[in-house]
């Protein structure tokens, strides 16, 4: 059957310039942020919620697979097609043009349309002295509010838990294969038809009297209590946690989300960063347990870095550090997008490496002098375990008193109170660590087989967080890198393997070891096409998308259509 009528319908809805069908033009949108690539009939860019709805209707009526895509910053290949073995044509709907947001009740809550970035939200909230769920991290590369909700993104902030809401407006394909609009935003008087509801939400055609205040949560209000329970035998947060799977929250693209209503957070009056170093990891374990169980004020952040990732990020994350330090985060999302498109273009040029931008940035950064504060470098020389602790308001004195009494007498650990400049650079260095392994692989591609990147949630009562790998795995490694969100017991573990290593076999063995420990994975990057979804998560996806229309294949599930009239 000719698919040209469907393409023509897309063009009628959004305009010719917003429908891409040529393989060269769609390649960037058919590829993952780090890895993964697949086929697509078209990539469509609606400019309004009405256009998004009409594109969805046309694709559903034509029996197409639909992949909802935002900033394409996911690290597990979940926001792009994967392979060429789908049983139906694939349509990618990129919603980044739909980026309106509305402040509710002086910014205590917001309604975010699907293309609103975390950076855009953070900038808007500054005017009312409020803060979003996440700051520096995925926010700096353009990630969206809705993308965070859809993937239970965790973030670095101890008090806030995974991105979560029970208040959303979304499209869903029911068991009969029909597209339905589900309005659970908790706002009355938006209209009776999908077109009326979508138009009024996008334009903010409602007032405070229409807002319903119910028991439905717009953030994870239970997380502080959960993370304080340091003796619990389960992780504090992870992607497959059934307590935080609800409609749009954790949907991983199995719904077409039009809007979410989420809480914002007060901005502290004062903040202070403490830099802590030691060689005995048990000392940091004691800090985590004491602060979470005994302190009146929880930390804002508690970011861990091992000496090895400190050193690697110092060299291979330097350009990212310098970019943010000198130019700020405002331009960074656009920079990452342009860089990715240049890399896609370079792939088409024979004998030219698509990694040329990364290689150039690496060598350019070497022309700059040492960028890290002297005291941080001294701690790197003396200690292998590093903790960047941010406290706010009353927690500052609480932490200072604790550290003075418990660490000033320590023979194998120390701390210092950061100046504003040192604190800023400590957090930037931690952020730069996230991409350092990838850069290392790029520069040393002849010696590196692959990188295995895991994000792991350990049990809250697990004190054995320093990994001891079997010798046969160690023999295959260039280096293992450990960093993460220490207070949440969530770790990012990047393994750089020597040339010739069987990384698929090693990954399976490592995941089995983690499962035996009671760990959960992934912790905050979602399953995408790289992890197998747990049975409970598969059931959740089936309930949201009974015909397997949206993002089929994630969690290593089937890509084929299900006929749920006979299930």
């Amino acid at each position: 059957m000719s698919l040209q009528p469907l393409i023509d319908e897309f063009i009628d809805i959004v305009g010719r310039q917003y429908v891409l069908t040529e393989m060269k033009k769609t390649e960037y949108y058919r590829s993952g942020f780090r890895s993964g690539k697949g086929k697509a009939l078209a990539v469509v860019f609606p400019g309004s919620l009405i256009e998004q709805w009409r594109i969805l209707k046309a694709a559903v009526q034509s029996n197409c697979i639909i992949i909802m895509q935002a900033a394409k910053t996911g690290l597990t290949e979940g926001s792009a097609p994967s392979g060429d073995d789908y049983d139906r044509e694939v349509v990618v709907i990129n919603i980044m043009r739909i980026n309106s947001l509305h402040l509710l009740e002086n910014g205590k809550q917001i309604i975010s349309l699907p293309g609103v970035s975390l950076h855009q939200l953070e900038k808007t909230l500054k005017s009312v002295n409020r803060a979003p769920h996440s700051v520096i991290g995925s926010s700096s590369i353009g990630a969206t509010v809705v993308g965070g909700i859809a993937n239970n993104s965790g973030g670095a902030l101890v008090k806030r838990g995974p991105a979560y809401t029970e208040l959303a407006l979304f499209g869903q394909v029911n068991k009969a294969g029909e597209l339905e609009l589900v309005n659970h935003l908790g706002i009355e008087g938006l209209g009776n038809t999908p077109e009326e509801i979508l138009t009024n939400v996008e334009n903010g055609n409602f007032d405070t009297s229409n807002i319903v205040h119910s028991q439905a949560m717009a953030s994870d209000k239970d997380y502080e209590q959960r993370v304080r329970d340091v003796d619990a035998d389960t992780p504090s947060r992870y992607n497959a946690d059934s307590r935080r799977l609800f409609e749009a929250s954790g949907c991983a693209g199995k719904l077409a989300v039009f809007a979410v209503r989420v809480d914002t957070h007060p901005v502290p009056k004062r903040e202070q960063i403490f830099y802590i170093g030691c060689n005995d990891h048990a000392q940091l374990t004691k800090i985590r347990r004491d602060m979470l169980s005994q302190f009146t004020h929880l930390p804002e952040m508690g970011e861990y870095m091992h000496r090895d990732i400190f050193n690697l990020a110092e060299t291979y994350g330097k350009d990212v550090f310098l970019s943010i330090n000198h130019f700020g985060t405002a331009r960074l999302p656009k920079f990452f997008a342009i860089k990715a498109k240049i890399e896609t273009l370079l792939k088409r040029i024979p004998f030219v490496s698509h990694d040329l931008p990364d290689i150039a940035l690496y060598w350019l950064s070497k022309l700059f002098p040492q960028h890290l504060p002297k005291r941080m470098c001294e701690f790197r020389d003396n200690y292998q375990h590093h903790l960047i602790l941010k406290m706010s308001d009353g927690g500052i004195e609480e932490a200072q008193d604790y550290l003075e009494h418990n660490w000033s007498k320590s023979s194998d650990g120390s701390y210092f109170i950061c100046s504003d400049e040192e604190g800023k650079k400590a957090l930037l260095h931690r952020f730069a660590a996230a991409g350092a392994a990838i850069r290392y692989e790029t520069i040393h591609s002849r010696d590196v087989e692959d990188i295995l990147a895991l994000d792991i949630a350990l049990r809250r009562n697990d004190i054995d967080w320093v990994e001891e790998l079997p010798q046969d795995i160690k023999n295959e490694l260039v280096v293992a890198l450990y960093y993460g969100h220490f207070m949440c017991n969530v770790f990012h573990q990047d393994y750089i393997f020597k040339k010739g290593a069987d990384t698929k076999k090693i990954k399976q063995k490592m995941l089995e070891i983690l499962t035996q420990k009671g760990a959960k994975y992934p912790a905050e990057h979602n399953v995408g096409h790289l992890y197998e979804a747990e049975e409970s998560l598969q059931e959740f996806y089936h309930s949201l998308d009974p015909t397997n229309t949206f993002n089929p294949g994630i969690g290593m599930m089937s890509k084929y259509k299900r006929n749920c009239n006979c299930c």
Side-chain angles (χ1 to χ4, degrees):
M1 182 180 70
S2 172
L3 292 164
Q4 190 58 46
L6 177 61
I7 301 298
D8 292 340
E9 188 171 359
F10 290 160
I11 292 171
D12 288 342
I13 294 169
V14 301
R16 185 172 297 278
Q17 71 182 106
Y18 296 116
V19 179
L20 304 181
T21 56
E22 295 179 25
M23 289 189 67
K24 289 182 179 179
K25 292 182 178 180
T26 62
E27 185 176 4
Y28 170 73
Y29 301 97
R30 294 185 289 105
S31 305
F33 185 78
R34 281 185 179 173
S35 61
K37 185 177 179 181
K39 71 170 187 176
L41 170 70
V43 180
V44 189
F45 303 84
S48 67
L49 295 184
I50 290 291
E51 288 184 359
Q52 182 182 338
W53 174 254
R54 290 173 179 167
I55 292 293
L56 283 167
K57 285 179 66 177
V60 170
Q61 288 169 0
S62 296
N63 192 33
C64 289
I65 284 169
I66 298 166
I67 295 179
M68 302 302 302
Q69 185 182 86
K72 213 170 68 72
T73 59
L75 302 180
T76 57
E77 305 179 6
S79 55
S82 179
D84 299 328
D85 55 342
Y86 294 100
D87 63 335
R88 292 151 286 164
E89 294 291 346
V90 177
V91 174
V92 177
I93 302 178
N94 184 294
I95 44 70
M96 291 303 292
R97 293 177 62 213
I98 314 173
N99 58 2
S100 299
L101 69 91
H102 307 297
L103 300 183
L104 305 179
E105 299 176 326
N106 297 316
K108 290 183 180 179
Q109 288 187 334
I110 62 104
I111 289 180
S112 169
L113 270 58
V116 173
S117 71
L118 290 168
H119 183 268
Q120 177 187 347
L121 176 59
E122 185 178 5
K123 185 177 179 181
T124 301
L125 290 177
K126 281 183 179 178
S127 64
V128 290
N129 202 35
R130 302 285 292 184
H133 169 269
S134 299
V135 297
I136 198 166
S138 57
S139 57
S140 297
I141 57 175
T144 60
V145 177
V146 167
I149 293 292
N151 291 294
N152 289 130
S153 298
L157 299 175
V158 178
K159 302 175 184 178
R160 299 181 191 173
Y164 184 73
T165 188
E166 295 169 359
L167 301 164
L169 175 67
F170 55 88
Q172 182 174 31
V173 175
N174 62 25
K175 290 183 178 182
E178 300 163 339
L179 180 66
E180 298 178 334
L181 183 68
V182 180
N183 179 13
H184 289 165
L185 267 183
I187 298 177
E188 296 178 340
L190 291 175
N192 298 314
T193 67
E195 288 77 11
E196 290 173 344
I197 294 169
L198 294 169
T199 299
N200 287 326
V201 168
E202 182 158 10
N203 295 331
N205 292 335
F206 51 84
D207 55 44
T208 54
S209 63
N210 298 126
I211 300 171
V212 177
H213 295 281
S214 64
Q215 296 299 311
M217 292 193 291
S219 62
D220 188 353
K221 296 182 183 297
D222 301 327
Y223 189 71
E224 182 168 336
Q225 178 183 351
R226 207 156 69 241
V227 77
R228 282 185 179 276
D229 188 359
V230 295
D231 293 316
D233 198 37
T234 56
S236 57
R237 59 178 169 92
Y238 58 100
N239 286 133
D241 187 350
S242 59
R243 295 170 298 187
R244 289 299 169 260
L245 297 175
F246 186 87
E247 296 180 343
S249 294
C251 72
K254 302 299 281 184
L255 299 171
V257 181
F258 292 96
V260 292
R261 177 176 154 194
V262 296
D263 290 330
T264 67
H265 305 270
V267 175
K269 294 181 176 65
R270 298 180 298 138
E271 291 183 328
Q272 178 61 59
I273 292 177
F274 299 84
Y275 199 96
I276 301 166
C278 67
N279 288 312
D280 181 3
H281 73 276
Q283 291 181 278
L284 288 189
T285 300
K286 187 176 188 317
I287 282 184
R288 184 178 72 84
R289 291 179 63 84
D290 287 350
M291 289 188 171
L292 293 180
S293 63
Q294 299 173 22
F295 272 35
T296 302
H297 304 88
L298 281 180
E300 295 291 325
M301 290 187 190
E303 291 297 287
Y304 170 76
M305 294 180 72
H306 187 273
R307 177 191 281 153
D308 289 340
I309 186 63
F310 185 112
N311 290 336
L312 205 80
E314 182 181 14
T315 302
Y316 298 94
K318 187 175 180 179
D319 62 290
V320 172
F321 179 103
L322 293 173
S323 298
I324 300 176
N325 191 48
H326 293 297
F327 302 115
T329 58
R331 297 183 180 91
L332 213 58
K334 185 171 288 188
F335 167 78
F336 273 106
I338 292 171
K339 176 175 168 289
K341 289 181 179 179
I342 291 173
E343 290 168 348
T344 300
L345 179 64
L346 290 174
K347 289 177 183 177
R348 305 175 199 159
I349 304 175
F351 310 113
V352 176
S353 171
H354 69 274
D355 294 322
L356 191 60
D358 277 312
I359 296 169
L361 289 168
Y362 165 74
W363 287 107
L364 183 63
S365 71
K366 293 176 78 67
L367 301 176
F368 289 80
Q370 172 60 263
H371 58 293
L372 298 178
K374 180 180 178 181
R375 289 200 286 182
M376 281 177 61
C377 293
E378 289 173 348
F379 265 50
R380 179 267 313 278
D381 296 337
N382 293 324
Y383 306 113
Q384 63 174 319
H385 301 295
H386 297 241
L387 180 64
I388 306 164
L389 180 71
K390 180 192 275 191
M391 304 299 297
S392 63
D393 299 333
I396 298 172
E397 288 73 27
E398 199 170 13
Q400 194 165 347
D401 181 67
Y402 175 88
L403 291 170
E404 179 65 27
H405 283 87
N406 291 275
W407 279 71
S408 60
K409 302 173 185 177
S410 172
S411 60
D412 196 30
S414 188
Y415 76 97
F416 63 86
I417 300 173
C418 294
S419 66
D420 289 346
E421 183 74 6
E422 287 172 325
K424 175 187 174 185
K425 290 187 173 182
L427 289 176
L428 279 181
H429 189 51
R430 163 62 185 88
F431 172 67
I438 301 293
R439 178 61 56 78
Y440 181 95
E441 179 188 32
T442 299
I443 302 301
H444 302 280
S445 58
R446 293 182 180 179
D447 304 314
V448 174
E449 179 66 31
D450 199 2
I451 291 176
L452 173 59
L454 303 178
D455 64 301
I456 297 156
L458 298 179
R459 296 169 297 167
R460 283 167 281 177
N461 64 356
D462 196 342
I463 60 174
D464 187 23
W465 54 274
V466 175
E467 184 175 59
E468 185 59 41
L469 290 169
Q471 190 60 47
D472 60 332
I473 294 179
K474 284 183 180 180
N475 293 340
E476 301 288 349
L477 282 169
V478 176
V479 66
L481 305 168
Y482 301 92
Y483 54 104
H485 314 304
F486 188 69
M487 294 293 165
C488 301
N489 236 11
V490 167
F491 292 90
H492 298 287
Q493 302 180 180
D494 294 343
Y495 306 91
I496 303 177
F497 286 100
K498 298 175 184 176
K499 207 72 173 177
D502 187 344
T503 54
K504 289 185 178 180
K505 182 178 178 180
I506 293 170
K507 177 182 178 180
Q508 187 60 39
K509 184 172 182 178
M510 294 174 75
L511 293 181
E512 288 171 1
I513 294 171
L514 290 168
T515 300
Q516 290 169 8
K517 281 189 64 174
K520 293 289 187 179
Y521 49 85
E524 57 182 8
H525 289 162
N526 221 329
V527 290
H529 290 279
L530 298 184
Y531 293 90
E532 183 177 359
E534 294 184 13
E535 185 175 345
S536 60
L537 186 58
Q538 292 189 33
E539 291 173 357
F540 175 65
Y541 291 157
H542 285 164
S543 70
L544 296 181
D545 182 26
T547 63
N548 209 21
T549 295
F550 289 100
N551 213 4
I554 58 165
M556 299 186 178
M557 296 164 62
S558 171
K559 293 181 178 179
Y560 289 179
K561 184 174 182 177
R562 288 190 300 272
N563 180 2
C564 279
N565 282 326
C566 62
C567 288

